[in-house]
């Protein structure tokens, strides 16, 4: 196993050209080791989501290099990236991004199906993932029949079902009440304790404090990167 | 992921939005159906024109004595412009000689015609048929005259010179009103004739009422009205409308021999046929076909734009979904395959329903025309709609699937 699960070097993301151009990421470098639990904080528009999307292989950058598990993602083409997305990364969006009018179970099965896993095993693993997030009794419900917290847990189950080494969550608690937030964070603790790398974007201080390391951003730059007091990296 | 599973995905994708699916299918169906029916209507009406021309007898050729007289049917094969001093009249033997399987293979039959002018009287009603002819039973087929009520007169009636007659609709109405004319006796030129049949309505050829007609055995007419003067004409029926030119050549050869006309000499008879009418009908139905072709092309285009529109809207709607699928690791080719299969199912089902609808719709009279389906229009409409459906169903999806997931997800 390589020393770093994430190795971002001099990432630049520029939107627009000329005078109107914006640097969403301005020469960002970031290294994360396997098994870390990292929180990313910063004011709105500071580039957190941009960085997260690049780490999740969902977006490209204007310049710079990105290695995931030692593989250079920034050099891969769109076609080969689907394997990386499917196998290595579990991505949780702030807005859930479930497939509409499709049951919770089918949503969780979907990434497994794209990996070519057979229907029976798929069902088993998806059911297990839904049990882990406490939705065993809601498997046949469609997204519109679930509360925000339940939808977010379906999204977490979908991210976990493929057993990715890296879990990325962009403001996963933004739409949740304190109880749901608490449940979700407990889940992240469990996942991290199982040895997986967890990276969470958040605006909330107590959410960030559950992580072991906090990175702060402003204007597309990392302005601080420190271990949370009382925690061991 | 195997094909079977992708097909299942495609069906699930279609069933997720039933309204969108049924609207798309219906759009394709209506496009295909309207093209098929429209072209069938065009084809049907040009067939109707052809049929009515056929009913007027486009296979028949008329032979008249002498030259110089030009009738409405157009002049064909006439070389003389004046009555030759040695001219021979047309005789019944000429008519007999024309029915010759060896020398005149294109001629089906011939009938001599002796025309008269006579006023017929039934009580206080009178009628002067524009055609008052003595002829043979073969006339009816040669002139495409079918019996509506009653019977034809027979060869026996001709031999016996019986005073029986078949009359047209106009003549029947003038003489008998709404009464049944069969069995009634009328006096024409003072001679009593028993009506034994009426002909089917022929309509007007534009210059003559085809239903103002009185037909009797030639012997009866010659005995009692005209006397034994030469024939007015002989009517000849070609085997079909394609061999009328051949039939004319055969008539010319036979009559030239019989009348002693040398090559280059002037004929003492004239041939008339419906060639001019045929030409007119051909050109008018050509114009019609071109016109309907244009209409069909436009409706196919409009239908195509409709299909394209629905497909594009569908994909725009689903670009977010494509983004989600990509974000969780869907390879581009599987997304493409799913959308291609969805589009194919939609187009196939819609296209087939359109073909069925077209066939059903073509069974009904439309603005007085019985549509006749043109097979190639079915293939064209089906093929084009499938192509459009499949292309516009999968091309925008392929563009969406080429986007980075974040771009697709941001799509509004
Ligand atoms: N598609 C885009 N086109 C142009 N500018 C963009 C685009 N996406 C993001 N930006 C800009 O990039 C900058 C960083 O955006 P980003 O979404 O990363 O912020 P963020 O830190 O996640 O903010 P928030 O906390 O509100 O989610 C912002 O100034 C934003 O306006
Ligand atoms: Mg953000």
């Amino acid at each position: 196993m390589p020393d770093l699960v994430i190795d971002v070097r001099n990432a630049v993301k520029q939107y627009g050209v000329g005078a109107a151009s914006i640097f969403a990421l301005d020469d960002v470098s970031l290294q994360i080791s396997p098994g870390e639990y990292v929180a990313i904080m910063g004011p709105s528009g500071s580039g957190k989501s941009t960085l997260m999307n690049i780490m999740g292989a969902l977006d490209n950058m204007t310049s710079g290099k990105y290695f995931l598990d030692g593989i250079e993602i920034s050099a891969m083409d769109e076609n080969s990236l689907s394997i990386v997305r499917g196998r290595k990364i579990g991505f949780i969006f702030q807005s859930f991004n479930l497939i509409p009018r499709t049951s919770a179970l089918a949503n969780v099965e979907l990434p497994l199906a794209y990996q070519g896993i057979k229907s029976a095993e798929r069902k088993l693993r998806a059911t297990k993932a839904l049990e882990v997030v406490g939705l065993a009794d809601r498997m046949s419900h469609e997204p519109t029949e679930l509360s925000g917290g339940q939808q977010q847990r379906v999204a977490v189950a979908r991210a976990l079902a493929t057993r990715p080494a890296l879990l990325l969550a962009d403001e996963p608690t933004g739409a949740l009440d304190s109880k749901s937030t608490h449940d979700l964070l407990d889940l992240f603790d469990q996942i991290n304790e199982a040895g997986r790398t967890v990276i969470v974007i958040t605006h909330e201080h107590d959410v960030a404090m559950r992580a072991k390391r906090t990175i702060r951003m402003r204007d597309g730059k990392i302005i601080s990167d420190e271990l949370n007091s009382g925690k061991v990296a | 992921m195997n094909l079977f599973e992708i097909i299942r995905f495609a069906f699930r994708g279609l069933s997720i939005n039933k309204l969108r699916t049924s609207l798309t299918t219906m759009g394709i169906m209506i496009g295909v159906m309207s093209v098929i029916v429209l072209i069938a209507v065009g084809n049907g009406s040009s067939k109707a024109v052809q049929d009515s021309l056929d009913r007027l007898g486009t296979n028949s050729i008329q032979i008249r004595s002498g030259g110089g007289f030009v009738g409405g049917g157009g002049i064909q094969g006439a070389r003389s412009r004046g009555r030759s001093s040695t001219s021979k009249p047309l005789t019944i033997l000429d008519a007999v000689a024309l029915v010759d399987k060896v020398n005149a293979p294109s001629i089906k039959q011939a009938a001599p015609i002796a025309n008269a002018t006579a006023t017929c009287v039934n009580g206080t009603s009178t009628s002067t048929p524009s055609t008052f002819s003595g002829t043979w039973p073969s006339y009816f087929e040669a002139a495409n005259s079918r019996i509506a009520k009653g019977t034809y007169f027979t060869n026996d009636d001709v031999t016996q010179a019986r005073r029986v007659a078949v009359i047209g609709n106009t003549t029947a109405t003038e003489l008998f009103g709404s009464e049944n004319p069969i069995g009634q006796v009328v006096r024409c030129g003072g001679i009593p004739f028993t009506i034994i049949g009426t002909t089917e309505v022929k309509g007007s050829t534009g210059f003559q009422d085809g239903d103002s007609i009185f037909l009797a055995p030639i012997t009866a007419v010659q005995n009692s009205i005209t006397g034994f003067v030469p024939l007015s004409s002989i009517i000849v029926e070609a085997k079909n409308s394609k061999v009328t030119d051949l039939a004319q050549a055969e008539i010319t050869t036979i009559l030239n021999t019989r009348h002693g006309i040398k090559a280059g000499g002037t004929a003492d008879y004239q041939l008339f046929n419906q060639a001019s009418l045929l030409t007119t009908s051909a050109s008018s139905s050509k114009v019609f076909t071109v016109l309907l072709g244009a209409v069909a092309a436009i409706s196919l285009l409009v239908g195509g734009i409709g299909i394209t529109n629905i497909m594009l809207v569908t994909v725009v709607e689903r670009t977010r979904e494509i983004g989600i699928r990509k974000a969780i690791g869907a390879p581009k080719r599987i997304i493409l395959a799913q959308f291609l299969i969805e589009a194919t199912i939609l187009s196939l089902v819609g296209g087939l329903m359109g073909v069925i609808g077209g066939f059903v719709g073509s069974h009904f009279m439309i603005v007085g025309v019985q549509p006749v389906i043109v097979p190639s229009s079915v293939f064209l409409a089906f093929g084009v709609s499938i192509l459009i459906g499949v292309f516009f169903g999968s091309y925008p999806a392929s563009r969406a699937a080429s986007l980075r997931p974040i771009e697709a997800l941001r799509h509004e």
Side-chain angles (χ1 to χ4, degrees), chain B residues 27-39 291-309 350-351 354-355 376-389 392:
Chain B
I28 296 173
M29 184 192 115
I30 289 168
V32 171
M33 185 171 127
S34 60
V35 169
I36 293 175
V37 172
L38 254 176
I39 293 182
L291 211 72
L292 273 148
V295 171
I298 290 168
S299 56
L300 204 57
L301 190 74
V302 171
I305 291 170
I307 298 169
T308 310
N309 200 31
V355 169
S376 57
S377 76
V378 175
F379 292 111
L380 182 81
F382 189 66
V384 169
S385 66
I386 297 275
L387 277 183
I388 291 175
F392 286 102

Side-chain angles (χ1 to χ4, degrees), chain A residues 65-165:
Chain A
K65 281 177 190 280
Y66 170 41
F67 296 86
L68 174 69
D69 260 351
I71 305 163
E72 190 181 351
I73 302 297
S74 46
M76 287 170 84
D77 65 2
E78 186 55 39
N79 282 331
S80 351
L81 283 175
S82 67
I83 298 166
V84 174
R85 291 181 195 127
R87 310 223 165 183
K88 292 200 179 289
I89 301 163
F91 203 102
I92 300 164
F93 298 90
Q94 180 174 1
S95 51
F96 321 142
N97 278 338
L98 300 176
I99 307 262
R101 272 171 275 205
T102 304
S103 73
L105 186 67
N107 260 291
V108 178
E109 272 188 58
L110 204 56
L112 300 170
Y114 285 129
Q115 285 185 32
I117 292 165
K118 292 269 176 305
S119 179
E121 195 196 335
R122 213 157 73 198
K123 200 147 277 167
L124 208 76
R125 278 171 65 173
T127 309
K128 250 211 201 115
L130 281 166
E131 276 165 7
V132 168
V133 298
L135 283 178
D137 55 341
R138 292 280 189 283
M139 294 200 287
S140 57
H141 287 55
E142 292 178 4
T144 46
E145 299 163 348
L146 296 169
S147 72
Q150 289 169 332
Q151 286 184 58
Q152 190 60 294
R153 279 188 277 162
V154 174
V156 173
R158 183 176 65 184
L160 293 179
T162 56
R163 298 181 190 134

Side-chain angles (χ1 to χ4, degrees), chain A residues 15 22 24 42-50 171 203, chain B residues 410:
Chain A
Y15 285 114
I22 293 171
S44 182
S46 57
K48 305 182 295 293
S49 294
T50 307
E171 291 188 49
H203 281 290
Chain B
R410 264 197 213 115

Side-chain angles (χ1 to χ4, degrees), chain A residues 13 15 53 57-60 78-79 82-83 85-86 93 95 97-102 106-107 110-111 113-114 116-117 119 122 158, chain B residues 1-2 5 8-9 12 16-17 320-321 324-335 338 401-407 409-410:
Chain A
K13 180 74 177 177
Y15 285 114
N53 293 338
L58 303 179
D59 206 354
N60 62 359
E78 186 55 39
N79 282 331
S82 67
I83 298 166
R85 291 181 195 127
F93 298 90
S95 51
N97 278 338
L98 300 176
I99 307 262
R101 272 171 275 205
T102 304
N107 260 291
L110 204 56
Y114 285 129
I117 292 165
S119 179
R122 213 157 73 198
R158 183 176 65 184
Chain B
M1 214 170 151
N2 59 29
E5 256 187 317
R8 262 193 22 206
F9 269 40
R12 193 182 296 171
I16 274 178
N17 197 334
R320 256 189 79 84
E321 182 192 324
I324 298 173
R325 286 175 186 274
K326 290 206 73 175
I328 58 174
K332 183 181 168 185
R333 70 194 150 77
I334 286 181
I335 293 178
Q338 179 189 337
S402 306
L403 294 176
R404 266 167 276 121
I406 281 300
E407 285 173 332
L409 280 170
R410 264 197 213 115

Side-chain angles (χ1 to χ4, degrees), chain B residues 2-3 46 67 76 90 97 191 193 196 207 211 221 284 294 316 341:
Chain B
N2 59 29
L3 186 67
S46 87
Q76 286 278 324
L90 290 171
I191 312 296
F193 282 88
I196 58 167
F207 45 85
D211 300 312
V221 172
S284 73
V316 167
I341 292 168

Side-chain angles (χ1 to χ4, degrees), chain B residues 35-67:
Chain B
V35 169
I36 293 175
V37 172
L38 254 176
I39 293 182
V41 166
N43 187 37
S45 60
S46 87
K47 273 237 163 63
V49 170
Q50 189 63 49
D51 284 353
S52 71
L53 283 174
D54 283 348
R55 244 186 294 120
L56 291 169
T58 45
N59 299 353
S60 46
I61 302 158
Q62 226 180 14
I63 311 168
R64 292 186 196 165
S65 287

Side-chain angles (χ1 to χ4, degrees), chain B residues 174-194:
Chain B
E174 281 171 2
L175 288 172
F176 305 106
S178 56
E179 269 178 71
N180 182 7
I182 310 292
Q184 308 248 31
V185 177
V186 288
R187 302 184 84 82
C188 301
I191 312 296
F193 282 88
T194 306

